[in-house]
Amino acid sequence: MTSQLHETALAIVADHKGILAADESTGTMTKRLDSIGVESTEENRRFFRQLLFTAPGMEESIGGVILYDETIRQSGDDGTPLAEVLSAKGVIPGIKVDTGAHDLALHPGEKVTEGLDGLRTRLEEYRSLGARFAKWRAVITIGDGIPSVACIRANAHALARYAALCQEAGLVPIVEPEVLMDADNTIERCHDVTARTLHWTFSELHATGVDLEGTLLKPNMVIAGKGCAEQASAEKIAELTIHCFLRHVPAAVPGIVFLSGGQSEVQATENLNAINQVGGPWALSFSYGRALQASALAAWGGDPANAEAAQAAFVHRARMNAKAAAGEWSAELEQPVAA
Ligand code: 13P
């Protein structure tokens, strides 16, 4: 079991591949579809995700896809379950298993992620539906006097309990402690908060006995908040990200797959590329949601006649990010996608 977890974790990030995070909850997916004027029906959600999963050549850059509960139960047009559509292409299916971030009692403005109750049974079912890895996202908010130690520790503890249950069920846990980039904080503040968050996360993983070699970390980059007047260069983001991670993430972790967190598509690629130019002992790759789907969503616009253009936009972004995961991306590679 152990070596199988190691193999799965390594396979997801092999050859500079990364992850497509297509695990938006129905609420979040509805916001995405609203933004392009498309009604959020079950069929529209299925159609768009099928379009991404069947995009020709996506498997060259995408090693794993994170699904949502609804999606892992859906099938392609020919009746093949979507998880099987992926595994037939050599893309490993994963599943989001947390049930969302809820208000942390006695800590206004802070969240704790829930979903541990009944998780053992749900993981068994997801494995039978084809999932080989899982995701749990903790949310750390920067603000006046926050994050508190209570928030960081409660989330780290839940991540460790989730990760242990995943490994028991034969699934690779993606451990995602996300420090949000929505505030107006400096990059130095993000460095400090990310350092404390990673410290407690790995302390809890260690105490719980989680096998780090069968685990992937999905963190934020060290980056200034969106509202900060001073935005750092990609080189500075890379330098501070690696500085922070070298001190807090054990080298036994096979891969670090960053979230995009609200960066634009090209910004997320450029920053990942800069991070790889500095480098570290882990595979440094991507697990992007918005930064892999934004132009595909816009190209589709809800019209099946645009499916190929949307697939081309998605495959382009996936390729650009795989180049960045190798540290070989440059702005000249960003040619317009043929429609
Ligand atoms: P973004 O890349 O859009 O931040 O989404 C990644 C993700 O899965 C967040 O949990």
Side-chain angles (χ1 to χ4, degrees):
M1 184 60 78
T2 299
S3 68
Q4 192 199 326
L5 291 174
H6 298 181
E7 277 168 26
T8 303
L10 285 169
I12 292 170
V13 292
D15 304 324
H16 309 295
K17 285 185 282 192
I19 297 173
L20 165 65
D23 61 323
E24 297 85 358
S25 63
T26 301
T28 303
M29 199 58 199
T30 299
K31 278 190 221 153
R32 304 272 185 272
L33 293 173
D34 283 350
S35 76
I36 54 160
V38 173
E39 195 190 344
S40 181
T41 60
E42 183 178 347
E43 173 52 20
N44 282 338
R45 294 190 294 271
R46 187 199 69 87
F47 185 92
F48 180 65
R49 283 159 168 162
Q50 168 178 249
L51 169 167
L52 297 176
F53 304 168
T54 58
M58 63 78 99
E59 63 276 13
E60 288 157 25
S61 316
I62 302 289
V65 173
I66 317 173
L67 305 171
Y68 181 55
D69 181 80
E70 175 183 270
T71 323
I72 203 169
R73 302 175 194 284
Q74 288 172 328
S75 297
D77 293 341
D78 67 357
T80 310
L82 288 175
E84 255 179 71
V85 169
L86 290 169
S87 47
K89 300 175 81 166
V91 178
I92 302 176
I95 181 78
K96 183 230 293 293
V97 301
D98 67 70
T99 55
H102 297 263
D103 291 343
L104 179 63
L106 303 183
H107 291 272
E110 298 197 280
K111 304 273 185 198
V112 65
T113 300
E114 295 186 358
L116 288 170
D117 289 355
L119 183 56
R120 181 178 268 127
T121 318
R122 290 197 293 127
L123 292 176
E124 269 172 36
E125 191 203 3
Y126 287 139
R127 196 171 201 286
S128 75
L129 292 170
R132 290 296 174 267
F133 70 98
K135 180 192 110 170
W136 176 291
R137 171 175 177 255
V139 181
I140 307 295
T141 309
I142 297 182
D144 207 7
I146 61 172
S148 63
V149 175
C151 174
I152 292 175
R153 291 186 69 171
N155 277 294
H157 185 72
L159 277 166
R161 284 190 59 198
Y162 139 82
L165 283 162
C166 283
Q167 292 192 335
E168 185 187 86
L171 299 172
V172 169
I174 294 193
V175 170
E176 180 178 5
E178 175 176 5
V179 177
L180 294 176
M181 56 177 281
D182 298 336
D184 60 1
N185 57 279
T186 62
I187 189 169
E188 287 78 15
R189 182 93 201 284
C190 179
H191 182 282
D192 173 58
V193 173
T194 303
R196 285 194 285 141
T197 301
L198 292 173
H199 170 81
W200 281 111
T201 300
F202 282 96
S203 169
E204 290 288 348
L205 289 173
H206 180 71
T208 310
V210 170
D211 174 8
L212 295 184
E213 286 166 84
T215 302
L216 293 171
L217 176 70
K218 175 164 175 167
N220 53 286
M221 295 175 187
V222 172
I223 194 167
K226 268 188 224 154
C228 181
E230 202 180 324
Q231 292 293 323
S233 64
E235 289 67 32
K236 174 106 188 223
I237 290 167
E239 182 198 323
L240 288 189
T241 300
I242 296 294
H243 180 275
C244 181
F245 285 37
L246 281 176
R247 282 156 186 78
H248 297 286
V249 183
V253 173
I256 296 180
V257 288
F258 291 96
L259 57 95
S260 60
Q263 301 175 54
S264 74
E265 289 183 326
V266 174
Q267 203 183 11
T269 304
E270 185 181 5
N271 290 336
L272 179 63
N273 188 60
I275 286 169
N276 273 288
Q277 285 175 346
V278 180
W282 334 263
L284 292 159
S285 193
F286 57 94
S287 175
Y288 293 162
R290 285 163 282 183
L292 272 171
Q293 296 182 56
S295 49
L297 257 180
W300 173 52
D303 184 348
N306 297 331
E308 273 181 35
Q311 288 180 321
F314 165 56
V315 170
H316 174 70
R317 286 271 43 95
R319 284 198 180 124
M320 293 298 98
N321 286 311
K323 283 271 180 210
E328 290 170 359
W329 174 87
S330 67
E332 297 83 72
L333 296 173
E334 291 288 342
Q335 283 143 21
V337 181

